[in-house]
Amino acid sequence: MKIKNIVTTSCRMMWRFKGRTFLVMLGLIVGISMLTITMSVSSGTRDKLMGQLDAMFNANSLLIAAGAGGMGGGRESGSRETLKIDDLRYVSEQIENIISWDPVQSTSGQVKYQGNSEQVLLMGHSSQADFVWHRGVKEGQFFSEEHIKARSRVAILGHVLAQKLFADESPIGKTIRIDSSPYKVIGVLEHQGVDPHGLDRDNEAHVPVTTMMKRLMNVDYLMMGKFIVEDENAIEQTVGQIEQLMRERHGIEGEQQSDFSIYTPKGQREMMREANQVFETLLPSVAIVALLIAMVVITNLMLIMVNERRAEIALRKSVGARASDILWQFLTEVSFIAGIGGLIGSGLGLLGVFLIRLVFDIPVPDLGVQLLIGVLISIGIGIAAGIYPAREAARLDPITYL
């Protein structure tokens, strides 16, 4: 039987049994759309989080935080008041590989301008923060050494916070109030977006770290610090030097636990990868289960269709149709149905991805590739589910049903 005749007959049979054709499609549409959404969202989320991590914590940087926890992660414990600015300064002076550093302290506070008020994260940084964190200002100026030394009441706003407080008005030179004290706005930060911890870094205010410690919090300790090293290949050696110097400086001996934690880029990426692995495995598994259920449903529906068409199959065999012709007709039918279901499912899945992107701002995968993958997976499932019913149809004895 010619391919053209097989295709024509298959299309006619699909239309004749359009109710069951729709049911076969429906299972694939649901499964493929779920698979498209879960794979695309998990991939896009991973790429976004890793990009944010690289931007904040690039390969030539180290974080040191107050409290014990160990290099590379772990729950911090012990005193959180042991890390001082003098510790970071001393370490940077002693280790040649460290070329820059930034002390960090933070709290939350209310920022007001005229009738507008926002409760936001307040960050204290040094004049080197723009270089250390790779985030400068898009308008105005960054902190100077004079601001740090004088504990100046100046602030730099994230652009989302600036928009909330000032609308379309330029905030530069304006006076805001942070916890009732006046602060002059000297800059607006470059865009950063939501960080891996879920914080909107564009909806925050920065002040000099000394201002944060003495005027806003009245403390003499830091939350953490960040070092930039010249040779990233020597980063593990640098970590060892920092640990030795800090333990000596804090009088920690022998098996005593350190009162600080050091985090490396490699350790943070491993933590992020482990967290994403659960997400990337669990969600697609749900879609795969749905597709396996769809395969079982397709097999049963195809068996019902074979049973209903026994007389037709017997008649075709009696006039010369071979068993291979019957086999290929049923496989062609299920392939067409599966292909159309996969195309619709991929389309609906990508529509869902675009809607999710509008809310969470994640990268969207290549449209053509996702459609092709959805159609191919769907056709593969359809053929796998249709082989047994097609073979049963091909083996049917025409004499029994005529």
Side-chain angles (χ1 to χ4, degrees), residues 67-69 77 243 247 252 255-261:
S77 60
E243 287 183 334
R247 287 178 66 86
I252 303 171
E255 299 298 321
Q256 285 183 283
Q257 189 177 37
S258 299
D259 58 2
F260 58 90
S261 304

Side-chain angles (χ1 to χ4, degrees), residues 83-110:
L83 187 64
K84 309 295 176 68
I85 289 181
D86 287 342
D87 290 333
L88 304 188
R89 182 180 293 111
Y90 174 76
V91 167
S92 67
E93 290 172 349
Q94 297 297 313
I95 300 177
E96 186 177 348
N97 195 32
I98 295 176
I99 59 175
S100 189
W101 55 282
D102 178 51
V104 182
Q105 184 56 279
S106 72
T107 186
S108 62
Q110 195 170 53

Side-chain angles (χ1 to χ4, degrees), residues 186-253:
I186 62 171
V188 176
L189 290 163
E190 294 174 344
H191 169 74
Q192 183 170 325
V194 178
D195 70 9
H197 301 97
L199 298 175
D200 185 358
R201 305 311 303 270
D202 296 321
N203 189 37
E204 63 185 21
H206 292 194
V207 299
V209 65
T210 49
T211 305
M212 170 70 74
M213 295 168 66
K214 297 302 180 181
R215 295 188 187 275
L216 288 173
M217 298 179 65
N218 192 29
V219 299
D220 64 348
Y221 56 86
L222 298 170
M223 177 181 71
M224 66 177 181
K226 183 178 181 182
F227 296 113
I228 299 296
V229 301
E230 185 174 24
D231 182 7
E232 62 186 67
N233 295 320
I235 202 163
E236 295 299 332
Q237 179 183 350
T238 304
V239 168
Q241 292 174 321
I242 294 173
E243 287 183 334
Q244 181 180 352
L245 290 171
M246 287 291 293
R247 287 178 66 86
E248 290 176 356
R249 186 172 173 84
H250 288 193
I252 303 171
E253 300 177 351

